[in-house]
Amino acid sequence: MRRDAINRPIFIYQLTQLKYTKYFIALVFCVFLYANTSAQLNIAYNKNILTGADNLLANPASLALEGKNIAICANQTSILKNKTHLVDTLLSKKYKIVKIFTPEHGLRGTADAGEKVASAVDKKTGIPIVSLYGNNKKPTADQLKGIDVVIFDLQDVGARFYTYISTLHYVMEACAQNNIPIVVLDRPNPNGFYVDGPVLDTSLRSFVGMHPVPIVHGMTIGEYAFMIKGEKWIKKAETCSLTVVRCESYTHKDFYELPVAPSPNLTSMQAIYYYPTTCLFEGTTLSVGRGTKYPFRNIGMPGFKAGKNYFTPKPTPGAKEPKYNGQKCRGIFITDSMVNAFLKKPAIDTHLLVTMYKNSASQSKFFPEKGSFDILTGDKMFKWSIIATAVSGEDMTYAWQKGLKKFKAIRKKYLLYTDYE
């Protein structure tokens, strides 16, 4: 965490004038130790949680998978507590995996956001890989031919615009239409301890927002699957044969540390916690730090009018053509203190949204005309609320509350674990 309260060069010079050198050395050591240990989150992570994948492997006979042709929807997050990949583990136990479906970012999680992911063959296992991104978001009847069961195991982060739940929608629908059972291996939601944001206006429905849920839905991917089926958001929902293998020792009050990055630009828990807020800047003229060491923590642009944080985006794996490539940007850094404050009172950071708008290089161009901000927020009035709040300081969250109350009543029907309230 960056701490600018102390002007270190002057501070150290003044200390060297003291006669008590041993105290000076001790103090310098303490300052060094503090600077290198202060970048921590005030969280007690629940280390006892077992994912649905771990529970499946503990009792594989419960699903009677022996001898069946299995397709798995998986990526780099589909790992077990012992750090082995689910696909490799099932193969080692002689289960017959005949196809792998992959979401946005691909099987190894290295593709850029929005980058076309080609179908291929997994070099390690020789199993055909079918990409469910780009023009082929939904498995076809031909792609499902000969499949007896589909296993779905992806780590979601709890935001409506994170596309793994959209992939879940299409896989469930394809299975229902082709009379194939689907098994969802549940995983904890790292943002499962709150619900916030406007509920999607369905006229803005897209792959980054398919269902009438708020930006932060507060559900595990297994709970979300039950809601998709129960609310009949897919075709032939009544024929969808859905099984969810639950997590163990998890509640929505728990903090869960992801063992691997869920996508190439969400590389820290700090970024994951603030993602429901910072991802909204993708629909503005701001950079979210893709192509830097701290994506989704560096927020800014050339010509930004405030902030002491500077960064220069450059091509990196997962960000081959970052916004403002090679240009020096000014802005803010999502510090640990900001995240700790959020964890005490979790909510979308509307203050940050307003601050970044007020200090942008050009307020009139802050929201691009193509409407990407509206698509991300799922609400046509959100940007006008930011503008109005910047002028009057009014509470922009008031308009969300009626929709949130209605959604929470729906959500409650599908919860598998003790809620956060």
Side-chain angles (χ1 to χ4, degrees), residues 105-126:
H105 306 299
L107 179 61
R108 304 303 172 187
T110 56
D112 287 9
E115 180 181 351
K116 182 179 179 180
V117 179
S119 297
V121 173
D122 183 37
K123 294 179 180 179
K124 184 174 182 179
T125 63

Side-chain angles (χ1 to χ4, degrees), residues 14 47 75 101 107 122 137 146 152 160 185 188 201 232 234 239 259 266 268 271 275 277 304 353 377 388 399 402:
Q14 290 172 337
K47 303 292 186 181
N75 66 1
F101 293 106
L107 179 61
D122 183 37
K137 294 182 174 67
F152 188 100
R160 183 183 64 218
L185 305 183
D201 176 345
K232 295 181 170 58
I234 57 172
T239 68
L266 282 180
S268 69
Y275 178 74
T277 296
F304 194 74
L353 291 166
T377 61
K402 185 177 180 180

